[in-house]
Amino acid sequence: MPAALPVSPLPQPHFDDPQRRTRLLQVCGQLESIFRAHSRRRQIPGLAYGVVLDGELLFTHSFGVREVASGALADADTAFRIASMTKSFAAAAIVQLRDAGLLALDAPAADYAPELAGLLYPAADSAPISVRQLLSMSAGWPQDDPWADRQMYRADAGIDEIYRAGLHFSNAPGVIFEYSNAGYMVLGRIISRVAGMPAVDYITRHILQPLGMDAT
């Protein structure tokens, strides 16, 4: 198993105003009207927001409910579904595993996800999809938001069946950026196989916990 990699501190900007923190706190209350208007416009039942200053969570506020049926209130510790923001964590995990020498970004993705070995490519000279192309969404798979979102609830065996049936290409790999949930579903499988544990467990142990993100 790869050991937890050190987290390098980000360089901190320098600001000359000694009252910067106080002045920011004085205007944080004005955010509520902005977020309430957004909530009404988007029909959001509840939300929470925060202001971070120099790595410190300086201010939080919430309103509405996190669960409509029970009326349970939203608060700063509510775990909201963050959808495709999870892709950033998957990408970070892949790069960590690369840094640990456990995978190569330019290797065929099928080296780590053998279910891709039988893909029918759009041209006889198409190179196999690489891990890097999955990361950069240039694998050649068409934009797939509604379709792939629904597949995420399938068991692994159901996903295997989709791969065996064949995924359609809109372009040869490496030609153009096309947003692809399916590509990141494959990256999750690669993380699991290379790390020897479920991708969620790897990301929790090696990214979230070292960063102190205990509520994510």
Side-chain angles (χ1 to χ4, degrees):
M1 299 300 170
L5 301 177
V7 178
S8 300
L10 294 174
Q12 293 297 319
H14 175 73
F15 297 92
D16 294 328
D17 183 359
Q19 298 300 315
R20 178 167 164 264
R21 187 178 188 276
T22 300
R23 291 173 61 190
L24 185 57
L25 275 172
Q26 288 173 345
V27 299
C28 281
Q30 298 176 26
L31 293 172
E32 183 172 355
S33 62
I34 297 172
F35 280 99
R36 284 194 180 275
H38 174 74
S39 179
R40 287 192 298 270
R41 187 166 60 250
R42 288 306 204 59
Q43 298 183 328
I44 298 171
L47 56 76
Y49 59 91
V51 176
V52 177
L53 177 68
D54 299 336
E56 175 193 1
L57 182 59
L58 189 66
F59 175 87
T60 65
H61 188 62
S62 60
F63 54 83
V65 298
R66 66 174 184 265
E67 185 180 73
V68 174
S70 68
L73 298 178
D75 59 29
D77 294 319
T78 297
F80 291 96
R81 183 176 184 269
I82 63 172
S84 286
M85 283 185 277
T86 57
K87 290 184 173 69
S88 300
F89 296 103
I94 288 287
V95 173
Q96 274 193 352
L97 293 168
R98 185 279 308 271
D99 291 347
L102 295 175
L103 61 78
L105 296 186
D106 292 313
D111 287 358
Y112 313 103
E115 55 269 37
L116 300 184
L119 288 177
L120 181 63
Y121 285 87
D125 60 351
S126 295
I129 294 170
S130 68
V131 177
R132 187 186 301 275
Q133 288 164 347
L134 293 175
L135 280 172
S136 61
M137 299 197 185
S138 58
W141 289 333
Q143 220 281 359
D144 59 11
D145 286 357
W147 178 85
D149 272 349
R150 290 194 294 272
Q151 313 315 314
M152 292 177 187
Y153 294 96
R154 292 175 178 260
D156 282 351
I159 299 293
D160 286 340
E161 187 59 37
I162 291 172
Y163 292 129
R164 281 193 293 271
L167 290 172
H168 296 290
F169 285 82
S170 55
N171 287 283
V175 171
I176 192 171
F177 171 91
E178 292 177 280
Y179 192 93
S180 176
N181 285 313
Y184 268 72
M185 290 163 70
V186 176
L187 288 174
R189 287 173 164 237
I190 292 174
I191 295 166
S192 298
R193 294 205 175 105
V194 171
M197 66 180 78
V200 171
D201 292 348
Y202 178 86
I203 290 168
T204 299
R205 295 182 195 179
H206 295 273
I207 299 176
L208 301 182
Q209 289 178 349
L211 290 172
M213 299 174 70
D214 297 324
T216 301

